Amino acid sequence: MSKLNPEQHKAVITTDKPLLVIAGAGSGKTRVITEKISHLLKNGIEAKHITAVTFTNKAAKEMRSRVEKICPAKTANQVRISTFHSLGLDIIRREHLSLSLKKNISILDELDKQKVLQDILENGKHQLDKAQIKPLAWQISGWKNQAILPAQAMSMAEDQQQQFAAALYEQYQQYNLVCNSVDFDDLILAPLTLFKEHPEVLEKWRNTTRYLLLDEYQDTNGTQYELFKYLVGPLGQFTVVGDDDQSIYAWRGANPENLFQLKTNFPRLEIIKLEQNYRSTQRILKSANQLISNNPHLYEKNLWSSIQGDEKINVIKCKDEFSEAQQVAAEISRSKFKLRANNSDFAILYRSNHQARMLEKSLRELSLPYAISGGTSFFAHTEIKDILSYIKLLINPDDNSAFLRVINTPRREIGTSTIEKLALYANQRHCSLFDACFEIGLEQHLSERSYKKLSAFCDWIVQLSDRTRQEDPIAILHEMIQHIDYYDWIKAHANSDKQAERRIDNVLELIKWIDNSAKKSTEERSLGDIVSRMMLLDSLERNEEEKNDQIKLMTLHAAKGLEFPYVYLIGMEEGILPHQNSIDSEQVEEERRLAYVGITRAQKQLTFSYCSQRKKYGDVSSTEPSRFLTELPADDLDWAAVNKQDPKEQKKKGQDSLALMKSLLS
């Protein structure tokens, strides 16, 4: 507490009224939350009655780690620290009967969700391609994020297209009820609906949540805000921490207006601003402040830092994207040698993933190791989805999506015609595909051979499921994979031995992760608990980025919450940042916030780059520098620092520096 600045200290000790902490980038908000948890414990609130909620698993993990350092281990473990979706999952699992669900629910990811919607439409004789499914999935997600149920969506529909989507929404929810499954949006909507319809359940959870701390509050959507209000009740025993200047997720439903709603819903609300930044130099913050001042604000703030730096902010003008990649890579190579820096000290940030392609080539040419963040999710790999579907079926046999994925993977000679007849019968009986396989009436619709194959598969699943509750589940999973000859299946369908080896390694890593999760847990967890929580992760927590000394390449969205000594923000052009879609829809304010997030990732040095021309759809066209560059303080920008050198000269200098470094090391 003695190391907190006055505003941080006030935020920690204010517990007698609702509190909004406007926390600028790098202002120590996580420290405030963890110190406040400690303060609450010292002032008589039991650990089990404190809940801290954030938006990412990484942030929750960091918060718990800090709490464990300042509180006794036994006490720290009793504090509920989780993501919004993990909290929702806990509520659903504990109150599943009130939601007409069985305990072992399945969680659908975005790909599963789109596949279910496609299956529903095909059963209804609506033939839509994948490009048409995605907007329908987004529409349903949008309704859920606004706490709009199917009946409300239908009543609000203004045309036939919306009526079609609302009808699909209703069928989708009914399908999930039969299959005992939920999607990510349901993890918030279902608890909210539960609290509205069951006051006694709400009262129980309010008694459990005596004090709530909510991080990244600006990222909440309508449903999350409603759930938050129900949990804290009229007394408003809470602290929310947020920054409207870092609200960059409107595209997925986040509503920064929730910051302004708080004062209306909680008139006693106190507001504290954290403006001292502990990350960046004053010059970098001055640029960030001047840029974001062009956006309207309800709560004005001015970030400042006691860290001084002589380096101006560099602006590199490049001929095209090829030249941009070469110049940035060469400049990093030179700076590494000059500053005696590690590769991991550097980050290259961009608006869209496609901007990384040219960079990868240039970095490889200079033998600079790099890692791309935010690529394909581990859980999107075919082999991972296959094995997870088998595991889901062991946990929840009613999961139709899992059943359909694995019934013929590997091949069991159960044809498409058999599956269609099974699905038709299950629909008529209003039961899951798995349950339908045990009904005597199904025999009348299938050949004897097909019926026996389905029955044999389902009997095997039942036996394995029973054994996972009595024996070591990890051993059972390995046995299951061997039984279906899955590794041979991978080898037979891989393009190369190397690809097959990589896919097999992925499966082994998945099993290892499940095993480690079971061993690390302080409480006894079933296989279902572990897999459900695992589905909420963006990727396996393998900590590769922390272990490897690599330059980080990532989108501006992925960079939020991170910091690096040296940051390169590329593609500062009209149409890229700000993005053309945002310009056309007059949503440049969020793009400005995105640039602000990028700027405030830099600790010591910041470099921008832009091109005079760029190839798009095969044609080369002229480009204009981003308006955001003109909104920065001119005196703090150095437009000539790097531009004096030719790209080829830059590249040669970088290679010479690297050769010298290697000779020194050897």
Side-chain angles (χ1 to χ4, degrees):
M1 291 280 280
S2 61
K3 295 179 181 179
L4 299 176
N5 66 39
E7 290 76 21
Q8 290 174 329
H9 186 270
K10 186 179 179 183
V12 167
I13 65 172
T14 301
T15 58
D16 59 341
K17 59 185 73 173
L19 177 64
L20 167 61
V21 180
I22 303 293
S27 62
K29 64 184 179 65
T30 305
R31 186 177 190 178
V32 166
I33 293 173
T34 52
E35 288 288 354
K36 187 149 196 173
I37 290 172
S38 176
H39 179 74
L40 291 167
L41 291 168
K42 289 173 183 175
N43 283 270
I45 297 185
E46 292 184 68
K48 65 182 180 181
H49 291 148
I50 299 173
T51 297
V53 180
T54 186
F55 275 82
T56 67
N57 292 286
K58 185 175 181 180
K61 191 175 180 181
E62 169 69 14
M63 196 180 293
R64 179 164 295 284
S65 173
R66 293 198 191 189
V67 170
E68 287 172 349
K69 288 177 182 176
I70 61 176
C71 298
K74 187 176 180 181
T75 304
N77 286 334
Q78 291 179 333
V79 178
R80 182 191 294 274
I81 300 176
S82 73
T83 63
F84 236 127
H85 289 92
S86 292
L87 175 62
L89 176 62
D90 281 343
I91 296 171
I92 291 172
R93 290 181 74 88
R94 295 190 187 190
E95 312 296 340
H96 62 94
L97 293 176
S98 297
L99 289 164
S100 301
L101 292 169
K102 301 172 187 175
K103 185 177 181 180
N104 290 323
I105 61 167
S106 295
I107 300 175
L108 304 179
D109 63 19
E110 192 59 32
L111 292 176
D112 292 333
K113 176 181 177 180
Q114 291 178 30
K115 181 66 171 64
V116 168
L117 291 174
Q118 189 169 9
D119 289 343
I120 292 171
L121 290 168
E122 287 177 357
N123 287 336
K125 307 303 180 185
H126 297 286
Q127 297 298 325
L128 297 181
D129 58 38
K130 289 184 179 179
Q132 293 171 293
I133 299 291
K134 204 168 185 178
L136 288 167
W138 275 93
Q139 174 66 77
I140 291 171
S141 184
W143 277 322
K144 290 187 177 186
N145 287 337
Q146 297 174 63
I148 296 172
L149 298 176
Q152 294 169 275
M154 184 60 77
S155 65
M156 293 165 58
E158 296 178 353
D159 53 38
Q160 282 188 326
Q161 189 174 358
Q162 288 190 353
Q163 287 176 356
F164 180 80
L168 179 61
Y169 178 16
E170 183 175 19
Q171 292 175 65
Y172 172 67
Q173 292 300 86
Q174 289 174 347
Y175 177 98
N176 283 341
L177 189 62
V178 170
C179 297
N180 203 49
S181 57
V182 295
D183 61 28
F184 288 112
D185 299 319
D186 289 323
L187 295 177
I188 309 299
L189 180 60
L192 175 59
T193 305
L194 176 74
F195 289 163
K196 286 180 178 179
E197 297 176 355
H198 297 271
E200 73 286 355
V201 176
L202 172 61
E203 188 63 27
K204 181 173 75 174
W205 280 88
R206 278 185 181 168
N207 288 333
T208 300
T209 312
R210 301 284 175 83
Y211 201 95
L212 193 147
L213 302 104
L214 177 55
D215 191 16
E216 302 290 4
Y217 176 71
Q218 77 281 347
D219 291 338
T220 55
N221 59 36
T223 310
Q224 288 162 339
Y225 181 49
E226 287 297 312
L227 180 61
F228 161 78
K229 284 196 298 179
Y230 269 92
L231 275 172
V232 299
L235 286 177
Q237 294 288 94
F238 67 79
T239 294
V240 298
V241 182
D243 180 8
D244 53 333
D245 291 334
Q246 296 188 74
S247 180
I248 57 173
Y249 294 113
W251 53 276
R252 68 181 190 198
N255 183 12
E257 295 294 320
N258 289 342
L259 277 166
F260 313 143
Q261 277 293 112
L262 269 179
K263 190 69 176 175
T264 303
N265 297 133
F266 301 94
R268 295 173 57 245
L269 183 75
E270 179 157 350
I271 300 167
I272 297 173
K273 299 178 187 177
L274 304 183
E275 297 175 294
Q276 182 175 0
N277 175 287
Y278 295 91
R279 174 190 298 159
S280 309
T281 65
Q282 180 58 30
R283 176 167 267 152
I284 289 171
L285 294 181
K286 179 184 172 185
S287 295
N289 286 332
Q290 185 159 317
L291 173 72
I292 207 64
S293 67
N294 292 278
N295 275 6
H297 292 82
L298 181 63
Y299 303 116
E300 295 290 344
K301 70 176 184 302
N302 189 58
L303 287 182
W304 64 275
S305 173
S306 60
I307 306 169
Q308 300 301 318
D310 297 329
E311 293 280 348
K312 284 192 173 185
I313 296 170
N314 294 326
V315 184
I316 307 175
K317 180 181 179 180
C318 311
K319 179 185 176 182
D320 51 30
E321 60 265 44
F322 177 72
S323 172
E324 178 182 50
Q326 282 191 317
Q327 284 186 249
V328 168
E331 175 62 13
I332 289 177
S333 180
R334 184 188 70 81
S335 296
K336 257 190 70 180
F337 180 70
K338 177 184 175 184
L339 301 167
R340 297 182 180 273
N342 297 318
N343 293 308
S344 56
D345 291 334
F346 295 87
I348 306 175
L349 310 182
Y350 37 80
R351 178 63 176 84
S352 303
N353 279 311
H354 69 82
Q355 292 173 259
R357 293 170 195 157
M358 206 68 75
L359 282 166
E360 290 189 77
K361 183 175 183 293
S362 296
L363 292 170
R364 283 197 299 268
E365 286 177 353
L366 292 180
S367 301
L368 291 170
Y370 63 89
I372 298 181
S373 298
T376 302
S377 166
F378 184 80
F379 299 109
H381 292 297
T382 300
E383 63 276 9
I384 299 304
K385 291 191 77 67
D386 285 347
I387 299 305
L388 274 178
S389 292
Y390 271 103
I391 297 172
K392 285 181 180 181
L393 207 58
L394 295 181
I395 298 162
N396 172 25
D398 292 327
D399 189 329
N400 280 1
S401 297
F403 183 95
L404 289 170
R405 185 174 188 93
V406 305
I407 189 62
N408 248 341
T409 306
R411 297 288 181 200
R412 290 187 178 85
E413 298 179 0
I414 298 174
T416 305
S417 175
T418 299
I419 300 301
E420 287 177 353
K421 290 174 183 176
L422 172 63
L424 183 63
Y425 179 83
N427 285 338
Q428 291 170 347
R429 298 286 297 161
H430 303 290
C431 65
S432 67
L433 298 173
F434 191 86
D435 282 347
C437 291
F438 290 96
E439 293 203 357
I440 298 174
L442 180 63
E443 287 187 81
Q444 300 171 13
H445 299 268
L446 300 177
S447 68
E448 183 180 355
R449 183 171 176 273
S450 297
Y451 180 75
K452 283 184 176 179
K453 285 188 175 294
L454 281 174
S455 297
F457 171 75
C458 293
D459 286 339
W460 175 66
I461 291 293
V462 169
Q463 291 169 14
L464 277 186
S465 180
D466 289 342
R467 288 177 60 196
T468 58
R469 290 188 284 272
Q470 299 161 11
E471 304 173 36
D472 175 16
I474 303 304
I476 301 297
L477 295 183
H478 282 298
E479 179 188 321
M480 176 190 78
I481 292 168
Q482 293 296 331
H483 178 80
I484 62 176
D485 295 325
Y486 190 73
Y487 296 142
D488 289 339
W489 166 263
I490 286 178
K491 291 173 184 175
H493 291 80
N495 295 326
S496 65
D497 291 343
K498 191 173 181 180
Q499 185 188 62
E501 185 179 344
R502 187 169 65 249
R503 288 180 174 177
I504 291 171
D505 285 344
N506 282 343
V507 173
L508 292 171
E509 186 170 0
L510 174 69
I511 305 299
K512 182 181 177 182
W513 193 95
I514 294 172
D515 190 21
N516 288 340
S517 296
K519 289 175 181 175
K520 286 179 184 177
S521 177
T522 55
E523 57 190 57
E524 189 174 341
R525 279 189 190 169
S526 68
L527 186 61
D529 289 329
I530 294 169
V531 172
S532 293
R533 293 174 193 279
M534 185 170 63
M535 291 302 295
L536 301 184
L537 299 178
D538 296 322
S539 60
L540 289 183
E541 296 171 353
R542 293 170 288 177
N543 298 321
E544 285 183 350
E545 291 185 5
E546 286 77 2
K547 291 178 184 176
N548 297 331
D549 183 28
Q550 299 172 312
I551 298 164
K552 302 302 185 292
L553 276 62
M554 64 184 71
T555 64
L556 288 162
H557 285 100
K560 187 167 176 287
L562 304 177
E563 57 186 45
F564 305 92
Y566 311 103
V567 169
Y568 290 77
L569 211 172
I570 68 169
M572 289 293 289
E573 300 150 36
E574 289 291 298
I576 294 183
L577 186 67
H579 196 278
Q580 192 60 47
N581 290 345
S582 297
I583 296 172
D584 295 341
S585 58
E586 298 183 349
Q587 293 178 332
V588 173
E589 288 176 10
E590 176 147 340
E591 295 290 304
R592 188 175 285 112
R593 292 195 290 268
L594 205 50
Y596 174 86
V597 165
I599 291 171
T600 53
R601 298 312 96 195
Q603 295 171 295
K604 298 178 181 179
Q605 179 63 52
L606 175 65
T607 301
F608 295 111
S609 69
Y610 71 95
C611 300
S612 300
Q613 61 185 38
R614 194 175 286 270
K615 185 178 286 188
K616 189 175 182 181
Y617 305 125
D619 297 324
V620 175
S621 56
S622 299
T623 57
E624 294 293 326
S626 170
R627 69 189 74 185
F628 299 151
L629 290 174
T630 65
E631 294 174 359
L632 300 173
D635 293 344
D636 292 318
L637 301 183
D638 185 351
W639 294 75
V642 186
N643 301 339
K644 293 176 183 177
Q645 295 183 10
D646 181 82
K648 291 182 179 178
E649 185 183 341
Q650 275 273 69
K651 182 178 177 181
K652 185 177 185 305
K653 190 172 182 180
Q655 289 172 330
D656 291 344
S657 296
L658 187 65
L660 178 59
M661 195 184 309
K662 286 179 177 177
S663 67
L664 289 172
L665 290 171
S666 62

